[in-house]
Amino acid sequence: MKKCEQLYEGKAKKVFATDDKAMVIVSYKDDATALDGLKKGTIRGKGAINNRMSNHLMQLLEKNGVKTHFVEELNDRETLVRKVQIVPLEVIIRNISAGSFAKRYGVEEGIVFKEPTIEFSYKNDDLHDPLINSYHALALELATKEELETIKSMAFKVNSVLKEYFLSLGVKLVDFKLEFGRLPDGTIVLADEISPDTCRFWDAKTNEKLDKDRFRRDLGNVEEAYREMMRRVFGE
Ligand code: TMP
């Protein structure tokens, strides 16, 4: 597979064309942003950790019947994935109150929900990714009714697989963000990444934060937290 021109550069990843028009190469950066891009920094080693962890989780999900964009890990930072048209929604699942949920509803962090919740944000930087409901997403033609149903059921399936998996590693999966894409034949697949950038992970015993909240909230030991999650997943 030949790496060709850069198609896109986002906050944490670059995307390159390949000589196969159905495939692209994703390259993970160490760059980190938060607060809608206002806070910028570097988390040393993050690109390689997110690449390897996301690929591992996508393969675990595939084994459990969730279709993903993953094709092949090429090296520490780069992965071959199927080219998709991204559905412009951030799909957020929560098992425990934290972050914007706790803030919006005026509750403390750490309330364990009886049932997981789902919410969508409209992926639009100019509008700062506003919260959106499924009727509004339909009105704006961001996705069809069938696609929204598929996305919802895939997101809950991802949650049940990952929640159990992380608990076996001594980690609570508090919440996470997913993105989905369309293959040329219209099939919806899980895309983007699943990593400490896009999930909240709390140690099951101590509730220590092992994710990007350490960067967002200036808690220190950011790189150590990413490395600890790597150790839990790969034993290294
Ligand atoms: P929130 O509590 O700030 O809404 O975040 C919910 C989850 O989504 C959390 O695990 C972090 C993740 N997330 C992203 O991956 N990207 C984002 O831009 C935001 C705001 C949250």
Side-chain angles (χ1 to χ4, degrees):
M1 189 66 53
K2 194 166 150 278
K3 185 167 157 188
C4 302
E5 79 278 8
Q6 184 176 309
L7 297 174
Y8 174 78
E9 177 163 7
K11 291 178 212 158
K13 297 187 283 296
K14 296 177 183 176
V15 180
F16 296 89
T18 69
D19 50 6
D20 178 342
K21 67 177 178 5
M23 307 275 176
V24 294
I25 292 172
V26 176
S27 179
Y28 286 74
K29 307 192 285 186
D30 284 354
D31 299 354
T33 65
L35 307 172
D36 213 15
L38 280 177
K39 183 183 169 95
K40 290 191 173 68
T42 301
I43 302 173
R44 219 162 16 96
K46 171 171 91 74
I49 288 174
N50 287 4
N51 182 43
R52 293 188 53 204
M53 195 182 299
S54 189
N55 292 341
H56 177 77
L57 298 174
M58 294 267 179
Q59 289 173 88
L60 173 72
L61 289 165
E62 288 272 1
K63 276 193 210 125
N64 283 275
V66 178
K67 294 190 193 95
T68 79
H69 69 167
F70 176 79
V71 179
E72 187 191 355
E73 188 167 292
L74 300 174
N75 56 53
D76 251 20
R77 277 174 195 276
E78 294 183 324
T79 294
L80 185 67
V81 300
R82 281 188 276 189
K83 186 173 185 175
V84 297
Q85 181 189 44
I86 289 283
V87 176
L89 292 172
E90 299 200 339
V91 181
I92 294 160
I93 296 274
R94 300 178 193 269
N95 295 304
I96 300 177
S97 66
S100 69
F101 182 98
K103 200 167 170 195
R104 181 175 305 117
Y105 301 118
V107 296
E108 75 262 36
E109 299 198 310
I111 303 165
V112 179
F113 302 144
K114 289 202 178 75
E115 296 287 335
T117 69
I118 190 164
E119 75 211 39
F120 302 110
S121 295
Y122 175 25
K123 251 176 87 70
N124 184 318
D125 280 340
D126 294 338
L127 299 175
H128 314 290
D129 300 341
L131 193 65
I132 188 170
N133 72 31
S134 53
Y135 292 91
H136 294 174
L138 275 176
L140 293 171
E141 299 185 10
L142 306 182
T144 66
K145 228 177 197 164
E146 293 69 32
E147 286 176 335
L148 288 174
E149 285 309 314
T150 303
I151 286 170
K152 276 187 224 168
S153 74
M154 286 174 77
F156 283 120
K157 173 78 184 178
V158 168
N159 186 47
S160 60
V161 174
L162 294 189
K163 201 175 135 186
E164 187 186 307
Y165 172 70
F166 280 111
L167 206 53
S168 77
L169 307 176
V171 172
K172 291 181 194 168
L173 179 59
V174 174
D175 56 30
F176 56 94
K177 185 263 301 181
L178 301 174
E179 294 185 26
F180 293 85
R182 298 179 188 98
L183 294 177
D185 71 357
T187 306
I188 295 283
V189 297
L190 182 63
D192 195 51
E193 69 178 279
I194 310 173
S195 72
D197 272 20
T198 63
C199 303
R200 285 197 173 94
F201 297 127
W202 293 357
D203 180 85
K205 285 210 186 85
T206 66
N207 281 341
E208 184 190 358
K209 296 184 195 326
L210 297 172
D211 58 65
K212 194 178 162 191
D213 267 353
R214 301 205 74 86
F215 170 79
R216 295 189 188 100
R217 302 179 185 191
D218 293 320
L219 298 175
N221 294 335
V222 183
E223 284 151 18
E224 289 77 1
Y226 278 73
R227 281 207 299 273
E228 175 59 20
M229 281 309 300
M230 201 61 182
R231 201 184 62 73
R232 303 269 178 123
V233 170
F234 292 102
E236 57 187 55

